[in-house]
Amino acid sequence: MLSLILRRLIQLPLLLLVIYTVTFILAWTVPGNPLEVEGRRPSREVEQAMRARYNLDDPFKFYGEYLWGALHGDFGPSLTYKDWTVSQVIGASLPVSIQLGAAAIIVALFLGTTVGAFSATRREGWGGLGGLADWGSMSIALIGISLPTFVTGSVLVMVFGLWLGWLPVGGWGRWDQMVLPVITLSLPFAAYIARLTRLGMIDVMTSDFIRTARAKGLSQRKVITTHALKVAFLPVLSFLGPAAAAAMTGSFVVEQVFNVPGVGQHFVTAVANKDLFLIMGVVLVFATLLIVFNLIVDVAYQFVDPRIEEG
Amino acid sequence: MRLVICLLILIIVPLALAVMWQPPTPRADLTTAYIAVQTLDPSQMQASEDIRMGYALFEGLTTFDPYHFEVLPGVAERWDVSADQLTYTFHLRSDARWSNGQPVTSHDFAATWQQGMLPDFAGPYHKFLRHIRGARAFSEWAGESLKQVSAIENDEAQREAGEKRLRDVSVKFKQLVGVQVVDDRTLVVQLERSTPYFLEVVACWPLFPLHRSVIDSTKLDDQTWMLRRDPQWTRAGRMISNGPYRLAQWQFKRQIVLERSTQYWNKDQVKLNRVAALNFANPVAAFNAYESGAIDLVVGIAVPFRAELVAAARDGRRPDIHPVNNWGTYYYTFNCRPTLPDGEPNPFADPRVRKAFALTIDKQRIVEHVTREFQQVAHTFIPPNSIAGYTAPDGLVGTAEDAPRLLADAGYPNGDGMPTVVLMYNSGGGHENTALAIARMWEQTLGVKVTMDVNEWKVFQDELAKGNFMAARVGWFGDYGDPTTFLDLCQTGNGNNDAAFSDPHYDGLLAQAAQESDATKRLAILAEAERYILQDQVPIVPLYYYRLIHAFNADRVQGVSLHPRNLQFFHRMEVRE
């Protein structure tokens, strides 16, 4: 266990250096003048002064000095948001993305496991209706996976924000502003978790230890919650790591639809504006986050499933 | 399982606390929206949303009536102009105050302008200061001395040279620049040449004063030895401003909250106590918020369904949607360079070819059937009735029937011998339909072949600068109330002269106007210059004037300016419940 964590921690800086270098090459070769704003070019002397100031004429100097600064937590100034440093931009938006992503994953987890377990255990019974319930919930799950978030998001905005007026159409900070974006972001994950849980449950419910539990006279509910779910949950857990990372990084569309001031928009606008410092900063911080997340999931997995041994 | 539950609880509890923590705030008197504010430092402003905030937070010596664009007294209660119109003496009002209660003095203006002229700070509109006598010479000295400092190899010697330059700045400013502080309330400004619109320039954001604590925070950067200012002074709680509002809150990418300044000299005329501007990364989200009632005013809606909004406004279904002209022209520019970047001769170097292509465009058809926004069709470069005293010339004379003959005169009968025309535009923003429609008009009437070159914005700008196109869609918005704000674009060597149009007669007219001290005669010369490019040379074809679409209930929200120059002053607005 310890050696795994150690090994991963040693890999971390190397991996980041590779990511930094690739991002740097891509960002540097994106055509366009980073000093130009909204089609107006600065005058010659102004441009010269700025280029000298930010090492924009010397890729090697930029590469080295930026890396040195980043190691000290200084990601440089934002060329677009002149009054803010990149660290401030990330500091203001990253917590929002993490809140949104974490909330969405939690909702997805409860929703997904409940629907999945329900669907798996109701396949027989209720006359012929049980199969229908299973079929119905799985169809909904499939739709949930297939529908892009900008569709579900826009529909939710229209229905709950504009027609019914129950919830605000956008913004971030109050609980009521969180409801729609969190639900929108959680739906595809919930649907996937539901399918995973259902498959796991069907598998588990026919196994010997469940039969034993039933034979002991345990109630159906007890059998499911204390015995079956525990094992059926394993594939869900391994899905959670990448899912959490995807929810926190991949919420760009949801952020756009619901006007959530997260970090996703900076990925896109920084590239469009060729804001070199912001591109590099956002990528570095996110890459670190992703790597750490995956490490946590790997460690957690070992705790839960003793069958996995470090190799 | 237990572990997972523990983990979940560990995540949920702080999350819930963080979310519940924010106490609900009462709604502001006026809530509006913005897409991107880049800076609140007036000397660095360039985008219209930033400038709108600038006018709420700061005030220059003069200011505007945003409805008719007359110049009004600002920090200066009155001014004298010398007979030769070269010397302006501003008398500052005694009750002009910074938001911390200190008086606004003529020193503040002189010190701010001194820094504004330095290449070290490189404000996008620093050229506004160039109207002042000696500003150019001072800037050039500062640029040259910076170059000398940079060239020094030895670190210690470089530091000393940098410090010496810093000391010299004030001395040189006094020597070279025509700005004299007579006393705290009297400022004398001498101009390079007679500038009839100088009082307007003085009302603009690059000439707003900055508080001396900001000016004094300037330090030498220990790498480049340039002067640097900590940009963090624009945070709420730190910003000291002199305008009708003070900055109560600036949450990055969330909102800007303005509160009426208790120190502003004209505070009794300010009706709205609290203005909140919410940040929307996406214009559709902003419009949704307006539709849901969360915001009261959207200035300049940029949604993809603008045409539908205009239609709803035109047939009276949406009286709260206000389409108005903007102070900008949407136009096509022709590459006037003698050869193309690949070395081939450029057919558009011939004005007859440009005229033929210009005459072929049916502008009315474009605004009615292509953009469907019913913009006002443009025959002039400068939007009409936007500059007092300026009589616009007639536009291009002729019809599409004349076009084939002109093209034949230039040596391309029925388009024979014309290379494939490369029409460039930038992706996004709905330029494609217009470009396709125009290409079809050219192909049908002139018998030429047209190919599209679509580029993402930054690439598009790069290709424009390099001259890698034959025709391109561009646009321009005026900066100050004088024809030169548009006409300079066709001057030889202008940084935004995408056509690379270079004509001694035209440059001569602009130079002649610059020397002319009689305002009426000067405007007549400029009108002739505009006529010359519109009718004779045709480096550009104006298509229509940009359309602005505001959304607000006019019975409730009052004081929104519908003037094409689109300066919105929150301190002139009112909300009736």
Side-chain angles (χ1 to χ4, degrees), chain A residues 30-50 52-55 65 77 80-85 88-90 92-93 96 98-100 102-103 106 109-110 157 161-162 167-175 178 229-230 233 237 240 255-261 265-266 269 271-274 296 300 303-304, chain B residues 1-4 7-8 11-12 15 18-20 22 24-25 36-41 44-48 119-127 130 139-140 146-147 221 223-224 226 228 231-232 234-235 250-254 278-282 285 287-292 294 456-459 461-462 464-465 476-479 495-498:
Chain A
V30 167
N33 179 354
L35 299 176
E36 188 182 281
V37 182
E38 297 188 350
R40 292 182 191 230
R41 296 187 270 274
S43 62
R44 196 182 301 271
E45 59 262 45
V46 168
E47 178 148 354
Q48 271 170 2
M50 303 271 280
R53 166 81 198 138
Y54 297 129
N55 298 321
E65 289 198 2
T80 323
Y81 306 106
K82 294 172 188 166
D83 298 359
W84 303 80
T85 64
Q88 288 171 331
V89 170
I90 294 173
S93 49
V96 175
I98 291 181
Q99 278 179 10
L100 173 60
I106 291 162
L109 204 57
F110 283 117
V157 164
L162 295 177
L167 290 163
V169 296
W172 193 258
R174 296 195 318 264
W175 71 269
M178 291 183 75
L229 255 182
K230 199 171 170 182
F233 191 68
L237 187 64
L240 268 186
E255 287 177 15
Q256 286 280 306
V257 172
F258 293 100
N259 195 43
V260 175
Q265 54 175 308
H266 298 305
T269 52
V271 176
N273 294 325
K274 210 185 173 189
I296 292 174
F303 269 114
V304 178
Chain B
M1 193 69 190
R2 230 166 290 139
L3 179 87
V4 175
L7 270 176
L8 285 182
I11 299 172
I12 293 174
L15 194 84
V19 171
M20 299 304 175
Q22 300 247 330
T25 43
V37 163
Q38 289 163 346
T39 175
L40 290 181
D41 176 347
Q44 298 297 321
M45 287 179 178
Q46 119 179 78
S48 63
D120 308 41
F121 296 104
Y125 279 100
H126 73 290
K127 287 212 166 135
R130 289 268 169 102
S139 292
E140 282 168 1
L146 181 63
K147 224 182 273 172
D221 181 67
Q223 280 172 30
T224 58
M226 287 188 345
R228 296 287 295 157
Q232 310 282 330
T234 56
R235 293 295 182 283
W250 184 9
Q251 285 180 289
F252 183 68
K253 285 280 164 187
R254 294 196 191 191
L278 308 184
N279 192 179
F280 291 87
N282 181 342
F287 189 71
N288 282 344
Y290 172 77
E291 292 286 83
S292 77
E456 177 271 327
W457 177 248
K458 287 261 169 183
V459 181
Q461 288 294 326
D462 244 26
L464 269 183
W476 188 256
F477 290 85
D479 290 326
N496 290 296
N497 184 348
D498 304 309

Side-chain angles (χ1 to χ4, degrees), chain A residues 173-212:
Chain A
R174 296 195 318 264
W175 71 269
D176 58 341
Q177 290 173 321
M178 291 183 75
V179 176
L180 291 181
V182 166
I183 290 177
T184 309
L185 186 59
S186 72
L187 281 179
F189 296 110
Y192 202 79
I193 290 173
R195 291 177 67 84
L196 285 178
T197 316
R198 175 177 171 273
L199 277 179
M201 285 292 278
I202 291 173
D203 204 29
V204 168
M205 291 305 274
T206 55
S207 61
D208 293 343
F209 76 95
I210 294 295
R211 212 171 307 139
T212 313

Side-chain angles (χ1 to χ4, degrees), chain A:
Chain A
M1 173 70 68
L2 253 175
S3 77
L4 171 96
I5 298 177
L6 263 178
R7 220 170 32 239
R8 291 296 204 84
L9 284 179
I10 294 168
Q11 281 173 1
L12 181 86
L14 290 174
L15 206 53
L16 280 178
L17 189 70
V18 173
I19 293 171
Y20 173 73
T21 310
V22 172
T23 315
F24 168 77
I25 294 170
L26 287 176
W28 194 270
T29 46
V30 167
N33 179 354
L35 299 176
E36 188 182 281
V37 182
E38 297 188 350
R40 292 182 191 230
R41 296 187 270 274
S43 62
R44 196 182 301 271
E45 59 262 45
V46 168
E47 178 148 354
Q48 271 170 2
M50 303 271 280
R51 285 189 168 276
R53 166 81 198 138
Y54 297 129
N55 298 321
L56 293 179
D57 288 322
D58 188 345
F60 297 103
K61 204 170 169 197
F62 184 96
Y63 179 87
E65 289 198 2
Y66 191 83
L67 189 60
W68 184 247
L71 287 175
H72 296 79
D74 174 16
F75 295 101
S78 164
L79 296 175
T80 323
Y81 306 106
K82 294 172 188 166
D83 298 359
W84 303 80
T85 64
V86 171
S87 307
Q88 288 171 331
V89 170
I90 294 173
S93 49
L94 190 64
V96 175
S97 287
I98 291 181
Q99 278 179 10
L100 173 60
I105 283 299
I106 291 162
V107 170
L109 204 57
F110 283 117
L111 209 65
T113 40
T114 316
V115 172
F118 169 83
S119 166
T121 50
R122 288 286 182 282
R123 289 201 311 149
E124 288 130 31
W126 287 5
L129 284 178
L132 199 65
D134 176 35
W135 180 83
S137 50
M138 279 308 105
S139 304
I140 293 172
L142 192 66
I143 294 172
I145 295 173
S146 321
L147 266 187
T149 44
F150 65 83
V151 174
T152 38
S154 306
V155 170
L156 288 177
V157 164
M158 255 168 54
V159 174
F160 294 100
L162 295 177
W163 291 350
L164 299 172
W166 291 350
L167 290 163
V169 296
W172 193 258
R174 296 195 318 264
W175 71 269
D176 58 341
Q177 290 173 321
M178 291 183 75
V179 176
L180 291 181
V182 166
I183 290 177
T184 309
L185 186 59
S186 72
L187 281 179
F189 296 110
Y192 202 79
I193 290 173
R195 291 177 67 84
L196 285 178
T197 316
R198 175 177 171 273
L199 277 179
M201 285 292 278
I202 291 173
D203 204 29
V204 168
M205 291 305 274
T206 55
S207 61
D208 293 343
F209 76 95
I210 294 295
R211 212 171 307 139
T212 313
R214 284 221 174 104
K216 281 197 301 184
L218 290 179
S219 69
Q220 170 80 344
R221 186 221 288 231
K222 198 107 196 210
V223 170
I224 293 171
T225 50
T226 57
H227 294 282
L229 255 182
K230 199 171 170 182
V231 178
F233 191 68
L234 279 177
V236 175
L237 187 64
S238 61
F239 169 67
L240 268 186
M248 285 169 204
T249 55
S251 54
F252 172 70
V253 173
V254 175
E255 287 177 15
Q256 286 280 306
V257 172
F258 293 100
N259 195 43
V260 175
V263 87
Q265 54 175 308
H266 298 305
F267 269 110
V268 179
T269 52
V271 176
N273 294 325
K274 210 185 173 189
D275 191 339
L276 284 172
F277 298 93
L278 192 52
I279 299 175
M280 311 292 294
V282 169
V283 169
L284 276 181
V285 170
F286 248 106
T288 315
L289 211 68
L290 268 178
I291 297 171
V292 170
F293 255 115
N294 278 311
L295 177 64
I296 292 174
V297 170
D298 284 357
V299 172
Y301 209 72
Q302 299 209 2
F303 269 114
V304 178
D305 192 348
R307 284 175 301 184
I308 295 173
E309 280 182 31
E310 42 192 291

Side-chain angles (χ1 to χ4, degrees), chain B residues 94-218:
Chain B
S94 58
D95 52 353
R97 289 275 183 281
W98 291 99
S99 50
N100 66 356
Q102 291 171 336
V104 181
T105 68
S106 37
H107 295 280
D108 295 327
F109 284 93
T112 308
W113 296 353
Q114 175 181 319
Q115 289 200 346
M117 290 172 194
L118 293 173
D120 308 41
F121 296 104
Y125 279 100
H126 73 290
K127 287 212 166 135
F128 276 30
L129 290 159
R130 289 268 169 102
H131 296 95
I132 299 171
R133 183 177 63 74
R136 177 185 293 270
F138 174 69
S139 292
E140 282 168 1
W141 166 81
E144 194 51 46
S145 62
L146 181 63
K147 224 182 273 172
Q148 285 168 9
V149 173
S150 317
I152 298 173
E153 298 277 341
N154 179 304
D155 284 355
E156 187 55 27
Q158 195 175 33
R159 188 177 60 79
E160 275 172 26
E163 283 168 358
K164 179 174 182 310
R165 174 173 179 266
L166 176 57
R167 289 191 297 274
D168 288 349
V169 162
S170 301
V171 181
K172 281 285 176 189
F173 182 78
K174 282 206 181 78
Q175 272 175 15
L176 297 171
V177 182
V179 175
Q180 281 102 40
V181 176
V182 178
D183 58 45
D184 278 358
R185 291 180 46 205
T186 315
L187 185 70
V188 176
V189 182
Q190 290 166 313
L191 302 190
E192 196 72 48
R193 58 173 73 97
S194 157
T195 311
Y197 54 94
F198 183 65
L199 288 172
E200 272 207 21
V201 171
V202 169
C204 291
W205 60 101
L207 279 81
F208 286 170
L210 300 182
H211 188 258
R212 74 195 61 122
S213 62
V214 178
I215 299 295
D216 292 345
S217 73
T218 302

